[in-house]
Amino acid sequence: MKYLALSVALAGAISGGFVQASLAQDWSGFYAGVLAGYGSGELKGATPAGAFASTTSFSGALLGGTLGANYQTGSFVVGVEGDVAWSGMTGSKACVGAPAQTCSIDVHWMSTLRARAGYTIDDLMVFATAGLSMANGTAKTSPASGGTTGSDTQTFVGWAAGLGAEYMVAENVSLKLDYLYSDWGSRTSPINTVAAGSAYVGSPTSHAVRVGLNYRF
């Protein structure tokens, strides 16, 4: 009887552990969450002719939300994830060729839509990700030169890629840490906005480290 009770208890513990592990490793389905992080980058700018070339660094906090879906087969997970984040990234420096003026950049928001591919190890998933990235920002020159508005707001479209890890802290809840590099392409500010008598081409890139908390449906 003692051995029977011990066997039953052991079988129960094993089966319970198997069920718990299986649940913990099931990443399939839809999820939503929140994210927070820190980003930094630089805006490279110049006139179309290459004059007044400069680089302005920016940095600041990120706060936003995430939506995504995963499909798991064995230890491999593939999925798609989208996010949008308010950005506090900003930076300024003396304008090239006009040191009495300040050239600045404010990044208002950033968003990505990416594919993910991961590998699970118990409750942990490590993954790589890449896809579309967008950002909205305002370039400013202060004080504005005569005949210019002194600022121009553009929405940039480019790509992002990165790495991350996600850990199941409960059956439906996971904690995520990721790194993203974004190249937001180039946009041209019209004549007499940022630069007097000329258009101005801006090309921003950024690095972001973010933590997130996701809930699976």
Side-chain angles (χ1 to χ4, degrees):
M1 181 65 69
K2 177 175 68 175
Y3 294 105
L4 177 59
L6 182 60
S7 299
V8 170
L10 182 59
I14 293 174
S15 61
F18 175 79
V19 170
Q20 184 178 7
S22 298
L23 288 173
Q25 293 178 10
D26 184 9
W27 294 85
S28 295
F30 296 92
Y31 61 90
V34 294
L35 66 87
Y38 184 83
S40 64
E42 58 184 24
L43 173 69
K44 293 182 178 180
T47 67
F52 301 109
S54 66
T55 299
T56 303
S57 298
F58 56 83
S59 61
L62 300 168
L63 183 65
T66 302
L67 288 173
N70 290 323
Y71 175 75
Q72 181 171 353
T73 175
S75 296
F76 295 94
V77 178
V78 293
V80 62
E81 182 175 274
D83 56 64
V84 60
W86 163 85
S87 167
M89 294 187 291
T90 186
S92 62
K93 63 177 292 186
C95 296
V96 172
Q101 292 180 302
T102 298
C103 287
S104 62
I105 174 70
D106 297 323
V107 181
H108 307 304
W109 57 262
M110 65 175 290
S111 180
T112 69
L113 180 62
R114 298 165 284 103
R116 297 202 309 171
Y119 183 81
T120 63
I121 307 168
D122 295 328
D123 294 338
L124 176 69
M125 176 175 67
V126 292
F127 62 86
T129 183
L132 177 71
S133 182
M134 299 176 64
N136 179 270
T138 299
K140 300 177 183 178
T141 304
S142 179
S145 300
T148 70
T149 63
S151 70
D152 182 55
T153 299
Q154 297 280 355
T155 297
F156 296 83
V157 180
W159 58 271
L163 299 169
E166 197 164 352
Y167 185 79
M168 285 281 196
V169 295
E171 181 177 335
N172 294 319
V173 180
S174 61
L175 186 64
K176 181 179 70 176
L177 173 67
D178 67 12
Y179 160 79
L180 280 181
Y181 171 79
S182 294
D183 184 326
W184 288 318
S186 298
R187 297 287 289 183
T188 301
S189 297
I191 295 173
N192 291 331
T193 54
V194 177
S198 175
Y200 203 76
V201 181
S203 303
T205 58
S206 77
H207 305 267
V209 176
R210 311 173 314 168
V211 292
L213 188 68
N214 292 328
Y215 180 82
R216 284 170 168 72
F217 301 104

